[in-house]
Amino acid sequence: MKPFLQLFLLSVPALCLLIVLTACGTLEPPATIMTERPSLPRAGLWSLEYTGGCTGREAERLQIIRLDETAIVFGDFTLLRDESGQYIGTADRIAPMPVDGREIGYTITYTLTADEMGAFAGVERVVEGGGHGLDCPVVLRYLGGD
């Protein structure tokens, strides 16, 4: 056989193999661009911290039993997510007055919005039976798992 023909017969399969191997790509998965916020911790121990004019109040530890795209549930509160992305919920309570022991009813309402750090920020509104209210800015931060 002529040397040119031998070289041609060997190079054609090698060229086909090279094309097949380069067409396969790499084993590395394609890069993805994150367009959604990272998923938040679902349930566990959280801290309700008071900010702004209510900074002096002691933080409360909350055991959140449900946290998803539709609701946050802890204690006797169920905060439902509305169309704007805020979680809103109310609970009624009764407490004795320190001076005379009379029981007075009051309502607590939370309005919280998720932030980019995985916490929730918003307002705790406490309204007494007589209609007097107090708004405190709050931050709900994740402390740990179940």
Side-chain angles (χ1 to χ4, degrees):
M1 230 190 235
K2 293 185 179 183
F4 177 74
L5 186 56
Q6 267 183 331
L7 182 61
F8 178 74
L9 290 176
L10 290 174
S11 64
V12 169
L15 181 60
C16 290
L17 182 61
L18 181 63
I19 290 170
V20 168
L21 290 177
T22 57
C24 290
T26 66
L27 296 176
E28 187 175 325
T32 56
I33 298 173
M34 254 182 118
T35 56
E36 298 179 19
R37 66 179 157 81
S39 62
L40 299 172
R42 297 278 180 216
L45 190 60
W46 289 72
S47 175
L48 181 69
E49 301 166 6
Y50 295 90
T51 63
C54 299
T55 300
R57 292 183 63 181
E58 186 176 334
E60 298 177 34
R61 288 183 173 229
L62 304 175
Q63 183 67 41
I64 293 188
I65 58 173
R66 177 177 164 206
L67 192 159
D68 57 33
E69 291 297 321
T70 61
I72 299 173
V73 178
F74 60 92
D76 53 349
F77 287 93
T78 298
L79 284 60
L80 299 175
R81 187 169 183 242
D82 67 10
E83 308 82 42
S84 69
Q86 291 186 320
Y87 291 85
I88 301 170
T90 300
D92 294 320
R93 302 257 175 99
I94 296 176
M97 294 296 292
V99 176
D100 58 11
R102 282 182 303 133
E103 290 189 342
I104 184 167
Y106 62 99
T107 301
I108 300 174
T109 301
Y110 288 103
T111 304
L112 303 173
T113 304
D115 67 17
E116 60 278 347
M117 300 302 293
F120 293 87
V123 175
E124 175 192 78
R125 169 169 252 197
V126 179
V127 178
E128 294 178 1
H132 301 289
L134 173 66
D135 289 348
C136 281
V138 294
V139 176
L140 189 61
R141 296 183 201 284
Y142 185 66
L143 297 176
D146 295 336

